[in-house]
């Protein structure tokens, strides 16, 4: 599912933390003139040099890297329709199995656009139990991190400003022109990799990884967007699916406008659950009545939009900045006490620092100076360029990759007349879905404008799979990937899909529910598959019953 981009410089930050992935809001840049051609089965001629390679592992470079984390790479075709042509390198990292290894389990933490290598280095302890039987491996997908990173240069800021606030509503024609111009800048800064970025190509890269790792089948654990990636792999390589888990299941069929509505509804529900919890505490800054607390949040957002307060960075902190911060805090129930304190700081002292901390996640993305784009030349002849040095990764890589991948996967391209003609109706639907998050989500309908049409493979062909059993985990209180998507995707994938119902809060279940964590590990390590429709209770009363 798509991720949210903050629009204010003071809070234009986001992080891929733990298994949580990113939030929801459409974004997108060109990606796939050759995407449909890439969905054809791989032909043997020209692919053997990629399938026959082996990974050479060594200690990861960098002072912040764990000493027991190893790094490597695989080389993949830039364009799978022309495997004899240009190549690029994909960065890998692994923790080795502590005992006898039965092979590898490959992780994708979501996004799209997040670096798997960086995430495993920071959050690897969540997956150490899996090293009882597997090498735990992750990667930076093409266009991300050290794998030929894409960038939009100054256009990243232009895109954010163009879709900030009500700009898209008051003068949509101007916004569409600015987005079209920004797309051209993204193509200039990203270079040859941009037309070949997207989930279909990333899934084919995973098949190269599987072979290079020496595994007969792909064992896989994917979160949020990573569930889309796993489903595409399963559709392309059904006979190579091993033990596959999809946690926080993405939609395979809904257009960006409907995804935005789902996100608005999901986060409204998550907000109301938080407020129900907050008002039980005498320290709740919104009082002890849940209905009144909801009204206060709506009034606070409107008040800050009309009269912002200074942020810690000296820039205006608006109602939409507040909405963005709350949306990030709702990703995990563990953050609720911190959100309660941050709201108290704002209401009692006008202090925005606590709320800005949710938006930042500790990772900033200032815009790179024009002319500096390390990801511009991902391929030279038939020789890969090597991995990008950590210090040369464009600072806007995460939002640039997020946008590129989401639109590479989306085939809808309404005309300017269709966009402008539908905004009023869509605004009413979004505001009905959520009086708090509706406006914040609405601008996603603009984000793919001016970009090449994405692939229709995911929407049309990822269905009715003939694979080994797949474990799909859906969380009832998930603000980003609603539980109904788990059920709908399971129905679409067919009898291979087994659903585990996590009756908890937050985005994905593996990091927040001991029951989910245990059942996922038992399946990956021992092949013990929960019964379809079995559940894990809320963590406070988790029985783990089937």
């Amino acid at each position: 599912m798509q991720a949210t981009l903050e629009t204010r410089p003071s809070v234009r930050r986001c992080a891929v933390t733990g298994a949580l992935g990113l939030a929801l809001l459409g974004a997108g840049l060109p990606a796939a003139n050759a995407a449909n051609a890439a969905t054809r089965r791989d032909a043997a001629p020209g692919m053997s040099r990629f399938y026959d390679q082996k990974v050479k592992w060594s200690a990861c470079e960098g002072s912040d890297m764990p000493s027991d984390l190893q790094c490597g790479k695989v080389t993949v075709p830039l364009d799978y329709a022309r495997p004899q042509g240009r190549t690029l390198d994909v960065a890998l990292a692994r923790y080795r199995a502590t005992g006898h290894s039965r092979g590898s389990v490959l992780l994708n933490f979501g996004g799209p656009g997040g670096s798997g290598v960086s995430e495993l280095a920071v959050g690897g302890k969540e997956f150490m139990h899996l090293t009882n039987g597997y090498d735990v491996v992750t990667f930076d997908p093409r266009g991300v991190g050290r794998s030929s990173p894409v960038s939009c240069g100054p256009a990243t800021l232009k895109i954010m400003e163009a879709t900030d606030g009500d700009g898209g509503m008051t003068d949509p024609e101007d916004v569409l022109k600015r987005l079209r111009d920004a797309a051209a800048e993204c193509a200039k800064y990203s270079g040859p990799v941009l037309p070949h970025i997207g989930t279909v190509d990333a899934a084919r890269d995973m098949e190269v990884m599987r072979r290079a790792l020496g595994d007969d089948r792909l064992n896989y654990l994917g979160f949020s967007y990573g569930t889309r990636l796993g489903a595409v792999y399963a559709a392309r390589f059904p006979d190579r699916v091993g033990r596959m888990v999809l946690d926080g299941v993405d939609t395979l069929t809904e257009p960006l406008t409907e995804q935005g509505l789902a996100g608005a509804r999901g986060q409204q529900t998550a907000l109301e659950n938080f407020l129900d919890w907050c008002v039980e505490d005498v320290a709740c800054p919104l009082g002890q009545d849940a209905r009144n607390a909801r009204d206060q949040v709506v009034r606070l957002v409107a008040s800050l939009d009309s009269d912002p307060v200074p942020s810690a960075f000296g820039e205006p902190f608006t109602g939409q900045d507040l909405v963005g911060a709350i949306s990030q805090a709702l990703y995990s129930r563990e953050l609720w006490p911190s959100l309660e304190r941050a709201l108290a700081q704002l209401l009692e002292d006008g202090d925005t620092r606590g709320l800005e901390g949710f938006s930042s996640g500790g990772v900033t993305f200032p815009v790179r100076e024009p002319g500096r784009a390390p990801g511009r030349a991902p391929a030279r002849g038939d020789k890969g360029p090597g991995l990008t040095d950590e210090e040369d990764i464009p600072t806007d890589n995460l939002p640039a990759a997020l946008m590129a991948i989401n639109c590479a996967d989306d085939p809808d391209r309404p005309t300017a007349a269709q966009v402008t003609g539908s905004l009023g109706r869509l605004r009413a639907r979004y505001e009905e879905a959520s009086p708090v998050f509706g406006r914040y989500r609405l601008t996603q309908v603009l984000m793919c404008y001016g970009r090449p049409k994405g692939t229709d493979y995911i929407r049309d062909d990822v269905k009715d799979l003939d694979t080994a059993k797949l474990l799909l985990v859906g969380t009832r209180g998930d603000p980003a990937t609603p539980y109904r998507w788990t059920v709908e995707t399971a129905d679409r994938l067919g009898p291979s899909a087994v659903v585990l119902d996590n009756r908890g809060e937050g985005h994905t279940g593996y990091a927040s529910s001991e029951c989910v964590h245990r059942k996922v590990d038992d399946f990956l390590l021992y092949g013990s598959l929960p019964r379809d429709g079995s559940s894990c209770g809320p963590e406070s009363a988790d029985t783990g019953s089937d």
Side-chain angles (χ1 to χ4, degrees):
M1 125 168 295
Q2 319 99 284
T4 300
L5 293 181
E6 284 293 350
T7 56
R8 293 285 178 176
S10 62
V11 289
R12 191 179 302 109
R13 308 171 181 185
C14 47
V16 184
T17 55
L20 300 182
L22 290 176
L24 163 78
L25 179 61
L29 291 173
N33 292 334
N36 290 332
T39 63
R40 295 190 297 266
R41 291 289 180 188
D42 297 311
M47 287 301 299
S48 60
R49 63 178 175 140
F50 302 105
Y51 288 155
D52 293 343
Q53 65 187 300
K54 300 297 179 185
V55 182
K56 296 180 180 179
W57 298 101
S58 61
C60 295
E61 298 179 359
S63 57
D64 296 332
M65 287 291 184
S67 59
D68 54 344
L69 185 67
Q70 295 181 320
C71 287
K73 68 178 182 179
V74 294
T75 301
V76 298
L78 174 67
D79 181 356
Y80 275 91
R82 298 173 178 82
Q84 299 286 9
R86 297 177 169 185
T87 65
L88 59 87
D89 287 343
V90 173
L92 305 176
R94 76 170 179 180
Y95 284 107
R96 298 199 66 178
T98 55
H100 174 71
S101 175
R102 70 191 66 181
S104 306
V105 59
L106 191 65
L107 308 182
N108 181 277
F109 297 99
S115 164
V117 174
S118 297
E119 184 57 38
L120 189 61
V122 172
K125 65 180 182 180
E126 291 283 352
F127 307 95
M128 285 300 101
H129 187 241
L130 292 175
T131 61
N132 290 332
Y134 291 107
D135 295 338
V136 176
V137 182
T138 191
F139 61 104
D140 289 353
R142 57 171 59 207
V144 173
R146 300 190 65 196
S147 304
S148 298
V150 295
S151 171
C152 287
T156 296
L157 181 57
K158 294 177 183 178
I159 293 166
M160 294 175 178
E161 291 175 341
T163 56
D164 188 12
D166 277 340
M169 298 299 302
T170 57
D171 192 356
E173 292 183 0
D174 175 67
V175 170
L176 294 180
K177 179 182 182 302
R178 291 160 67 185
L179 289 173
R180 185 173 60 247
D181 293 343
E185 288 194 49
C186 293
K188 178 182 71 173
Y189 274 80
S190 295
V193 72
L194 193 59
H196 305 286
I197 192 173
T199 302
V200 171
D201 280 315
R204 299 176 79 167
D205 293 343
M206 284 166 53
E207 175 63 2
V208 175
M209 294 176 216
R210 179 191 69 78
R211 293 178 181 239
L213 292 168
D215 294 330
D216 290 335
R217 292 203 177 352
L218 181 76
N219 302 304
Y220 178 79
L221 174 55
F223 302 98
S224 195
Y225 161 76
T227 69
R228 187 199 313 171
L229 179 58
V232 171
Y233 178 89
R236 282 207 55 85
F237 305 100
D239 58 338
R240 294 303 178 186
V241 173
R243 296 170 184 173
M244 179 173 285
V245 180
L246 310 180
D247 184 3
V249 182
D250 202 353
T251 179
L252 300 174
T253 58
E254 289 191 352
L256 295 180
T257 52
E258 295 302 317
Q259 292 183 42
L261 279 168
R265 294 189 189 102
Q267 293 206 298
Q268 183 68 31
T269 298
L271 174 63
E272 292 173 0
N273 291 342
F274 161 74
L275 293 174
D276 288 340
W277 168 86
C278 184
V279 298
E280 295 295 321
D281 181 2
V282 295
C284 181
L286 299 167
Q288 274 65 58
D289 181 82
R291 178 176 296 181
N292 182 59
R294 288 192 287 272
D295 292 341
Q296 283 192 68
V297 173
V298 174
R299 291 196 299 269
L300 181 59
V301 170
S303 174
L304 288 173
D305 277 334
S306 62
D307 187 17
V309 298
S311 72
F313 295 88
E315 297 171 349
F317 185 88
T318 71
Q320 296 311 296
D321 292 334
L322 172 62
V323 173
I326 293 174
S327 71
Q328 294 294 325
L330 293 175
Y331 267 60
S332 172
R333 188 185 179 98
E334 294 179 357
L335 297 176
W336 286 7
S338 298
L339 177 58
E340 179 185 22
R341 291 192 295 271
L343 288 170
Q345 288 177 321
L346 175 66
L347 290 170
E348 296 169 7
D349 303 317
D351 185 349
T352 64
R353 286 175 295 179
L355 290 163
E356 290 171 44
F358 289 117
S359 296
S360 70
V363 181
T364 60
F365 297 98
V367 175
R368 181 172 291 277
E369 291 298 316
R372 291 194 63 195
R376 291 189 64 176
R380 301 183 186 92
D382 62 357
K383 182 180 180 182
L387 300 176
T388 299
D389 290 339
E390 189 73 29
E391 62 270 20
D392 288 331
I393 297 173
T395 47
D396 72 323
N397 175 238
L398 190 153
L402 180 153
M403 291 186 286
I405 294 166
N406 278 336
C407 274
D409 291 354
D410 186 81
D412 296 327
R413 291 298 182 272
T415 65
Q418 289 172 326
V419 171
T420 56
S422 64
L423 278 179
R425 174 180 54 81
L426 281 172
R427 180 171 190 169
R429 292 182 66 198
Y430 273 66
E431 291 181 347
E432 180 182 4
S434 171
V436 175
F437 299 100
R439 171 183 164 190
Y440 184 73
R441 299 298 186 190
L442 177 60
T443 51
Q444 78 163 44
V445 303
L446 308 176
M447 299 301 284
C448 286
Y449 182 77
R451 279 64 176 177
K453 180 179 180 291
T455 182
D456 55 11
Y457 175 76
I458 299 173
R459 191 177 295 179
D460 291 349
D461 296 325
V462 183
K463 59 184 179 181
D464 302 325
L465 303 185
D466 183 14
T467 69
K469 293 293 186 181
L470 315 171
L471 178 58
L472 277 60
V473 181
T475 299
R476 292 282 179 163
D478 195 317
T481 51
Y483 181 77
R484 69 173 176 85
W485 282 358
T486 301
V487 176
E488 291 169 359
T489 299
D491 288 343
R492 179 177 175 82
L493 297 182
S496 296
V498 172
V499 172
L500 175 61
D501 180 357
N502 178 32
R503 298 177 181 271
E505 302 288 338
H507 184 35
T508 74
Y510 189 78
S512 60
S513 167
E514 291 183 5
C515 171
V516 171
H517 200 292
R518 181 176 64 253
K519 290 179 182 295
V520 168
D521 284 0
D522 285 350
F523 173 55
L524 290 172
L525 287 168
Y526 313 118
S528 177
L529 187 67
R531 177 173 48 83
D532 186 29
S534 61
S535 66
C536 286
E539 194 62 24
S540 59
D542 192 346
T543 64
S545 63
D546 287 342

